[in-house]
Amino acid sequence: MENKLEICQPTCSVDYAFRRIGGKYKGRILWYLQEHKTLRYGALKRILSDVTTKMLTQTLRELETDNLINRKVYHEVPPKVEYSLTETGEELIPFIDYLRQWGDRQIEKANRQPQ
Amino acid sequence: MENKLEICQPTCSVDYAFRRIGGKYKGRILWYLQEHKTLRYGALKRILSDVTTKMLTQTLRELETDNLINRKVYHEVPPKVEYSLTETGEELIPFIDYLRQWGDRQIEKANRQPQ
DNA sequence: CGGAATCCGTTAAGATACTG
DNA sequence: CAGTATCTTAACGGATTCCG
């Protein structure tokens, strides 16, 4: 609800950053948004097939508040909302990509040596 | 329902990696360990000034199980335990550093424009 | 279509006391 | 010094229903 950036001191930018992109779906959402450039609410929900509307909405709001994604509303019927990365959000992509590759290697390792 | 696996497959490594280094203190612990090369339990506890023994121990155990840190016990009195990064853990340092710098910039931005 | 609102169980995390 | 053990609280996340 309200765990935002004022709490964190300048000395813990690692902590700060992890909070901004922690959470169960944030990394994946940012990643999918850079893959597709722009995604509608329903499309995101389909891709994150296990997410509930509550969690998705909540997560998107947090990312928006943190200025990592844009939310563009088309006032038409039926309604249409598109999400995309902000510049600040795009700055995180190299990191997420690095992490993704690292995760791939770890998964591969674990598969090679199933103890 | 039946396409869930293939959708999840190529991107789960993001999810996987986030789970593995998520958690409230993991990023900071890894970062501090690369800064100091090796740290004792008590030293870590002082640096992470707000952590409880329970959380610290639990987090260290998880990192150890995930093979991201080493735990070296000196059988002497009083006891002494030193923690350090494994090779796999060190692979994560560049990206934690990236994230840290990003966090720095964000904090700076927020301080310049307190809305 | 893109949510909001409510209820509820599970897990993460904190406080405190104690130990080899 | 480096933890355990217990208990309590807070946050996370899910299911369902409803709405403009």
Side-chain angles (χ1 to χ4, degrees), chain B residues 44-62:
Chain B
L44 268 169
K45 182 149 172 39
R46 275 191 301 279
I47 299 177
L48 304 163
S49 51
D50 55 336
V51 77
T52 60
T53 61
K54 178 195 154 189
M55 274 310 297
L56 180 53
T57 300
Q58 180 182 309
T59 305
L60 289 169
R61 292 286 181 280
E62 287 178 19

Side-chain angles (χ1 to χ4, degrees), chain B residues 69-83:
Chain B
I69 64 171
N70 299 122
R71 177 173 182 267
K72 184 170 185 184
V73 181
Y74 295 82
H75 292 286
E76 47 189 60
V77 180
K80 173 176 167 184
V81 180
E82 283 183 348
Y83 294 92

Side-chain angles (χ1 to χ4, degrees), chain B residues 20-70:
Chain B
R20 199 149 157 195
I21 60 152
K24 191 165 179 182
Y25 300 101
K26 289 190 178 177
R28 288 164 75 192
I29 290 175
L30 295 173
W31 182 250
Y32 295 137
L33 283 180
Q34 75 85 30
E35 276 188 328
H36 296 83
K37 302 309 172 195
T38 164
L39 281 173
R40 297 178 62 174
Y41 183 91
L44 268 169
K45 182 149 172 39
R46 275 191 301 279
I47 299 177
L48 304 163
S49 51
D50 55 336
V51 77
T52 60
T53 61
K54 178 195 154 189
M55 274 310 297
L56 180 53
T57 300
Q58 180 182 309
T59 305
L60 289 169
R61 292 286 181 280
E62 287 178 19
L63 290 171
E64 192 193 358
T65 301
D66 277 350
N67 196 35
L68 299 181
I69 64 171
N70 299 122

Side-chain angles (χ1 to χ4, degrees), chain A residues 8 12 34 41 49 86 109:
Chain A
C8 207
C12 51
Q34 75 86 27
Y41 182 91
S49 52
T86 62
K109 260 198 225 175

Side-chain angles (χ1 to χ4, degrees), chain A residues 24-25 50 52-55 79:
Chain A
K24 190 165 178 179
Y25 300 102
D50 54 338
T52 59
T53 63
K54 177 192 159 190
M55 276 309 299

